[in-house]
Amino acid sequence: MRPLSVPNLSTRTVYRTCIGMALPRHRTRLEALEQAVVDAADEFEAAAEAAKLHELQELAKKPTDAADRTQLTNTYTSRMVPEDSAGNEFYTLLKRVRHKICPLCGIRDVATLDHQLPKKKFPLLSVVPTNLVPACGHCNRLKGEDVPKSAAEQTLHPYYDDVTDQQWLFARLNESESRPPEITYSISPPGDADSVLAARIVHHFQTFQLAELYGANGGREMSNIRGFLRILDAAGRATYLAKMEHSVAMDKDAGGLNHWRKALYQALAGNSWYINGGFAQF
Ligand SMILES: [Zn+2]
C-alpha cells in the first residue's frame, strides 16, 4: 500500500459546493443536513485515526429519513462525479496522485474514488474528503460495500495508516524443473507488530487479491530484466539485484519496504539458482 497525505480540504466547503447547484427542493433538504455531515466527518476522522471504523455502527443509522439518505448519496454520484457538476473540482483533486498509481494495490491506474466506508451504508460520509480514497476500478469493485465488523476487518486507509517502516510483504521464488517457475507473495508481519495491525494487513492483502496481482507482475518484471541479466556475469547479476532491492526500499512514497518490487528483488538477490542461470527461464 502507498501512503498518502490527508487531503487538505474542508468538509463543509466541499459539501456546500457540491449541493450549490441542486434543485431548490433538494437543496433545502441538503442544507438542513450540513451540520450532520460535518459532525460525521469529525467522527469518521477520529475513528480512522484510532483504527476503530468498525465502531461507527450508530453513524450508519443516520439520517433515518430514506429521502435524505438518497439525496446524500446522490450528492456524490450526481453532484461531484460528473464533469459538469458543481463538486467535480474536488473529485478531480482527490483523484490526483503521483503517477496515477492506485494506493490500495500499488500497481493499477487510479480510475475513481473509493469510499472507505460505503456511501450507501454511511450516506453522511458520501462526499467527506477523508472518506474518499483514490483507487483503481478493480480495487474499488473488490472492496464493494464491505463494512468492517471487527478491528481486524479494516482494510488499510492510505491517509491514516502508514505501515512502510517495517517489512511485512515477502516474495519467494519457486523453482521447478517440470513447469515454469513462479514467484509467490505472502504476508509475514514482524514479530513485534501490533496484533490488530498485523490482522488488518493480512485482510487488506486478501481483500485486494494482492498475491495474484503481485505474482503476475513479478513474473513480468523478471521477463523484462532477463535480457539485461544475460549480459552480466553471476557476480554482476547478484550486485545488480541487490542494488535494485535497496533502491526500491528507499522509495518510501512508493511503498518502501513493502513495495512488491522490493520483495521481488530481495527474493532474487538471495537465490543462487536464479543468479546462476535460472533467470533465463523467465
Ligand atoms: Zn488498485
Side-chain angles (χ1 to χ4, degrees):
M1 191 203 67
R2 298 163 81 99
L4 296 175
S5 46
V6 179
N8 187 21
L9 290 172
S10 138
T11 294
R12 197 180 295 280
T13 303
V14 171
Y15 183 73
R16 273 190 193 169
T17 306
C18 288
I19 68 172
M21 277 161 41
L23 295 173
R25 67 176 189 280
H26 297 320
R27 200 166 63 229
T28 307
R29 181 187 288 277
L30 289 163
E31 280 168 357
L33 289 162
E34 180 181 304
Q35 193 54 44
V37 168
V38 171
D39 292 345
D42 289 344
E43 206 179 325
F44 171 81
E45 285 159 15
E49 213 147 324
K52 289 184 174 172
L53 292 183
H54 60 296
E55 292 183 358
L56 295 181
Q57 293 98 334
E58 288 303 310
L59 192 60
K61 295 174 188 163
K62 300 178 194 167
T64 49
D65 184 272
D68 281 352
R69 295 176 78 89
T70 301
Q71 283 309 317
L72 283 166
T73 55
N74 285 354
T75 298
Y76 176 75
T77 49
S78 308
R79 304 176 183 118
M80 191 185 214
V81 176
E83 274 182 33
D84 59 351
S85 64
N88 183 259
E89 59 177 300
F90 299 115
Y91 180 75
T92 307
L93 194 67
L94 287 163
K95 266 175 61 184
R96 199 174 295 152
V97 292
R98 264 178 101 208
H99 312 304
K100 294 188 181 175
I101 298 176
C102 168
L104 302 175
C105 63
I107 289 192
R108 290 178 291 251
D109 287 0
V110 166
T112 186
L113 293 178
D114 179 66
H115 287 80
Q116 187 73 17
L117 289 180
K119 62 184 180 309
K120 214 169 178 178
K121 294 177 182 163
F122 292 85
L124 287 172
L125 300 175
S126 294
V127 296
V128 168
T130 45
N131 189 39
L132 299 173
V133 176
C136 69
H138 201 72
C139 283
N140 184 237
R141 280 190 296 280
L142 287 173
K143 191 156 149 290
E145 291 183 5
D146 289 357
V147 174
K149 289 187 270 306
S150 67
E153 284 182 26
Q154 300 171 93
T155 53
L156 299 173
H157 190 322
Y159 300 148
Y160 296 98
D161 302 307
D162 183 349
V163 291
T164 56
D165 56 345
Q166 284 186 306
Q167 187 177 6
W168 39 268
L169 178 67
F170 294 87
R172 185 166 171 269
L173 187 59
N174 304 308
E175 306 147 24
S176 167
E177 296 301 321
S178 57
R179 59 183 168 80
E182 58 181 11
I183 189 97
T184 54
Y185 280 83
S186 60
I187 297 291
S188 179
D192 59 348
D194 170 86
S195 62
V196 169
L197 181 60
R200 291 182 61 203
I201 289 170
V202 171
H203 180 69
H204 186 95
F205 192 71
Q206 290 171 344
T207 299
F208 296 110
Q209 301 177 355
L210 298 182
E212 294 82 349
L213 182 65
Y214 294 165
N217 277 272
R220 268 182 224 123
E221 178 102 357
M222 290 157 81
S223 172
N224 288 339
I225 62 172
R226 182 180 51 191
F228 179 65
L229 294 181
R230 199 172 273 140
I231 63 172
L232 301 174
D233 60 15
R237 289 195 280 271
T239 303
Y240 170 74
L241 295 168
K243 283 189 172 171
M244 283 299 287
E245 178 200 345
H246 183 68
S247 66
V248 178
M250 298 293 285
D251 193 357
K252 194 168 149 62
D253 288 346
L257 290 172
N258 296 302
H259 193 302
W260 63 273
R261 291 174 71 230
K262 144 74 184 167
L264 173 70
Y265 282 103
Q266 181 179 30
L268 301 183
N271 190 297
S272 57
W273 170 82
Y274 180 79
I275 291 169
N276 289 302
F279 70 90
Q281 294 194 30
F282 290 87

